[in-house]
Amino acid sequence: KRALVEVAGYLKSEARADGSFEMRAEPPVQESDEKATTYAVRGLLGAYEVSGDAAWLDIAEKAQRYLATRKGATTTVRNMRLIGLAGATDEAAHESKRDIVAAIWAAQRADGGWSEAEALPSNPFATGQTLYALKQARVRTDDARFMRGIKWLMDRQEADGNWRIEGGVDSQSRRPSNFAASMWAAIGLAGAFG
């Protein structure tokens, strides 16, 4: 409990006036301020849950208002916004979540997967992360579009259990990570069959 409240104190010191948090790194693993803000929201809400201190909730809600107003062009930014808005209760957040879900469905590829960016093919990182974001938004896992994403992942799992990703081919990263791709694929699949 103490560690979570202490990190929330650090997050509070990093919050910008508009409620956002800054991310300084390369895509897709560390892509955007929206991603940093989503991570901060999750930590701040956790601190609120264990401490009951409304100050953490206030900072998290301000960050969620920031996420509700952003427009993301990449799959990861849309996903992070959706994850960060999970549990938000105001009308602007609900409207934003509906818009993000619609954009996610529109971005689904003909093969059933999602890509990191418009010019790239589907990959396991983006597809798994998208399925997780949709679950956070309480999208039905028996939706045919969701099931196409599940099938895309299952059809591409390697014999050794992981999912492969190739930088410059299906990823924005200059240092593609099979670990990150496999992690998101597994997270996307988790709880999808219940």
Side-chain angles (χ1 to χ4, degrees), residues 5-194:
V5 171
E6 286 176 3
V7 78
Y10 167 74
L11 292 171
K12 179 181 178 181
S13 74
E14 292 292 313
R16 296 184 197 158
D18 66 357
S20 68
F21 292 79
E22 183 177 12
M23 176 72 77
R24 300 174 217 93
E26 78 172 76
V29 176
Q30 301 168 324
E31 179 173 350
S32 65
D33 290 352
E34 291 85 358
K35 186 178 251 188
T37 302
T38 290
Y39 292 160
V41 164
R42 298 299 274 234
L44 291 160
L45 291 176
Y48 170 68
E49 289 172 15
V50 301
S51 71
D53 185 341
W56 307 131
L57 181 61
D58 291 343
I59 299 165
E61 287 175 342
K62 185 174 185 178
Q64 287 177 319
R65 285 190 296 275
Y66 165 83
L67 291 169
T69 65
R70 306 303 297 166
K71 301 293 180 212
T74 68
T75 300
T76 296
V77 170
R78 282 191 297 266
N79 291 343
M80 286 299 119
R81 289 179 57 226
L82 194 55
I83 293 165
L85 290 169
T89 57
D90 64 64
E91 185 54 37
H94 286 298
E95 186 176 319
S96 184
K97 286 189 279 189
R98 282 190 298 270
D99 292 347
I100 296 166
V101 169
I104 285 172
W105 290 136
Q108 188 173 31
R109 299 301 176 103
D111 64 10
W114 283 268
S115 65
E116 292 170 21
E118 185 73 28
L120 298 173
S122 298
N123 76 28
F125 182 100
T127 300
Q129 187 185 76
T130 299
L131 293 173
Y132 175 74
L134 290 167
K135 288 185 292 185
Q136 295 300 296
R138 307 231 184 278
V139 166
R140 293 180 55 102
T141 58
D142 61 354
D143 182 291
R145 298 165 294 186
F146 190 92
M147 294 305 295
R148 287 179 54 230
I150 296 277
K151 182 175 181 349
W152 188 94
L153 283 173
M154 294 180 71
D155 287 350
R156 285 158 181 84
Q157 187 174 21
E158 298 287 330
D160 66 1
N162 83 26
W163 284 265
R164 302 224 187 280
I165 199 163
E166 296 181 49
V169 176
D170 63 359
S171 175
Q172 300 173 81
S173 180
R174 292 171 289 163
R175 297 172 291 136
S177 167
N178 289 339
F179 175 80
S182 296
M183 174 197 69
W184 275 115
I187 291 169
L189 290 172
F193 304 103

